Amino acid sequence: MSLTDPVPDIAAEVTAILAAQALVDPSQVDPGQTLDQLGLDSLGLVEAVFAIEERFDISVPFNPNDPGAAGPDDLDVSDVAGIIRGVEVLVAAKQAANQAVR
């Protein structure tokens, strides 16, 4: 994602990434679903985090060895909505940093 890219629909794109990893249609993904309910295992979550980092050109604070022991700055992986909120915050921070550099 560069400075000239349009603002993405973060929720839709994160949902699509999670759906692809869970092998379901994005329409079957609900923000209130836990990753277990979605059928996403720990490997799928790690792959989803990598895909999110690549898509949005961000670094996601996430401990794949112990996702349940997340710190205050780590990605909330308790449900789909938590992941979306976390990515929105990270993308906004990156955009703010990019604006400050200009």
Side-chain angles (χ1 to χ4, degrees), residues 31-93:
Q33 282 179 305
T34 65
L35 301 183
D36 284 339
Q37 291 169 332
L38 187 57
L40 199 62
D41 63 12
S42 59
L43 179 59
L45 175 58
V46 170
E47 290 177 356
V49 168
F50 286 147
I52 288 167
E53 288 180 326
E54 184 176 313
R55 167 56 190 101
F56 297 104
D57 192 26
I58 58 175
S59 178
V60 176
F62 170 71
N63 181 355
N65 294 322
D66 194 1
D73 295 327
D74 289 338
L75 184 67
D76 175 8
V77 296
S78 59
D79 60 17
V80 173
I83 294 172
I84 291 169
R85 279 190 307 272
V87 172
E88 288 172 340
V89 167
L90 292 167
V91 169

